[in-house]
Amino acid sequence: MISGTLRGVAFDLDGTLLRSDHSVSAEMRSLCAVLSRQGILLTLISSRPARSVEEIARGLGLEGPWSALNGAIVIGSGREILDRSPLPEATVERLLARYGRDERVSLNLYAGFDWIVQAVDVRVRVEEHIIGFAPTVDAGFASRPVTDKILMITDEATGGAWLAQELEALDDDVAVARSKPNYIEITRSKIDKGRALAFIAASRGLSAREIVAAGDGENDIPLLKASGYPIAMGHSPQSLKQVAELVVGSNDDDSLTDAIGRIFGAARSR
């Protein structure tokens, strides 16, 4: 047991808490139940849409708050939006004008609990399968609401490094991060998972330094940097491993479950 002053755990979802089939293992579910009974704060901080994160949180019996859209919104247990930092409208307009007809990119807009696309293509269908629900189709984004996040999906074969570089040079009003090699997450400047962690911790009278955080992507770097005990998955990029206190194995082998169990003195019997 090495918990010391640690009082909570923040999980990234895909590639971290979730297995490759997008489920949570029975062992992790059991550990979460044990930690919840001990009064440990358990939260989810994901780039997924709010509706998807909410479903997973409720399935684990988590009280909240939790965060979606790469930290752009924080949601309470009653579905209320506790914190929200939408993209500037002028920035959204510029991005849609530049990439709205670029066939190399699938544009996805997220507003609160809504996911909006202008057409359903192969890349959108893959995302639909992952998160478990279909988007609203609005050709040309004619009636879009205030936008919290834009996700740009490129083809897996080419990746999204070229697009991330273009976006970083395009506008200083946005934060650009990759949750997968071909998934480019765009939020308002200075909005990221680390900020969301600090907000969630403070809402429970805690500091982010009292929270264990686990992730596997480039967009998890701010999350791990903000936490008191950062954990990276074995398949994480080197940039994330460099900021981790501990590197575990795969999201399919329960090595993360074992590590968190040891931290809080709740290791599973074998």
Side-chain angles (χ1 to χ4, degrees):
M1 180 175 179
I2 55 176
S3 61
T5 60
L6 297 172
R7 299 287 182 265
V9 185
F11 295 100
D12 164 59
L13 289 179
D14 293 286
T16 303
L17 180 67
L18 302 182
R19 298 185 294 187
S20 296
D21 64 0
H22 311 301
S23 68
V24 180
S25 74
E27 290 80 2
M28 179 60 86
R29 287 182 179 276
S30 177
L31 176 63
C32 287
V34 169
L35 296 181
S36 292
R37 289 195 295 270
Q38 292 179 358
I40 301 299
L41 168 65
L42 300 178
T43 188
L44 310 177
I45 302 182
S46 175
S47 61
R48 281 190 177 219
R51 177 175 164 183
S52 178
V53 182
E54 178 187 46
E55 181 178 350
I56 296 166
R58 295 200 184 285
L60 289 170
L62 305 188
E63 294 182 359
W66 42 265
S67 179
L69 305 181
N70 215 44
I73 61 172
V74 177
I75 309 293
S77 57
R79 285 194 119 211
E80 67 277 20
I81 297 179
L82 303 178
D83 187 52
R84 185 177 191 180
S85 300
L87 284 161
E89 181 61 22
T91 300
V92 176
E93 291 282 359
R94 286 196 293 272
L95 292 174
L96 295 186
R98 179 153 182 166
Y99 296 103
R101 296 184 179 180
D102 190 331
E103 295 183 354
R104 300 172 299 170
V105 178
S106 296
L107 275 172
N108 302 260
L109 304 189
Y110 298 91
F113 283 82
D114 297 324
W115 171 27
I116 307 163
V117 299
Q118 56 184 349
V120 176
D121 58 19
V122 172
R123 292 176 292 233
V124 170
R125 290 198 184 282
V126 170
E127 178 68 359
E128 180 180 328
H129 173 72
I130 292 171
I131 64 176
F133 69 94
T136 298
V137 177
D138 180 5
F141 300 116
S143 58
R144 69 179 183 276
V146 173
T147 302
D148 297 301
K149 187 190 86 168
I150 295 176
L151 168 64
M152 296 188 182
I153 308 176
T154 63
D155 290 328
E156 289 188 30
T158 58
W162 65 271
L163 179 58
Q165 291 173 358
E166 282 190 13
L167 291 167
E168 287 168 354
L170 179 65
D171 199 318
D172 59 6
D173 286 339
V174 299
V176 179
R178 284 194 289 175
S179 53
K180 299 179 183 179
N182 63 319
Y183 273 48
I184 314 302
E185 313 277 347
I186 305 167
T187 53
R188 195 181 190 104
S189 179
K190 300 181 181 179
I191 300 304
D192 55 40
K193 291 186 176 185
R195 181 181 179 278
L197 176 63
F199 183 95
I200 291 171
S203 75
R204 297 289 292 271
L206 300 172
S207 161
R209 304 302 295 175
E210 296 178 272
I211 310 297
V212 176
D216 78 312
E218 288 181 4
N219 64 323
D220 293 314
I221 291 175
L223 174 65
L224 267 61
K225 282 185 173 180
S227 77
Y229 195 95
I231 301 175
M233 304 303 294
H235 53 269
S236 303
Q238 190 61 32
S239 56
L240 188 69
K241 291 178 180 178
Q242 287 175 346
V243 302
E245 180 77 18
L246 175 68
V247 177
V248 296
S250 164
N251 54 316
D252 291 316
D253 65 10
D254 272 311
S255 56
L256 179 61
T257 306
D258 290 338
I260 293 173
R262 289 193 299 270
I263 289 169
F264 290 98
R268 60 182 173 137
S269 58
R270 295 181 179 275

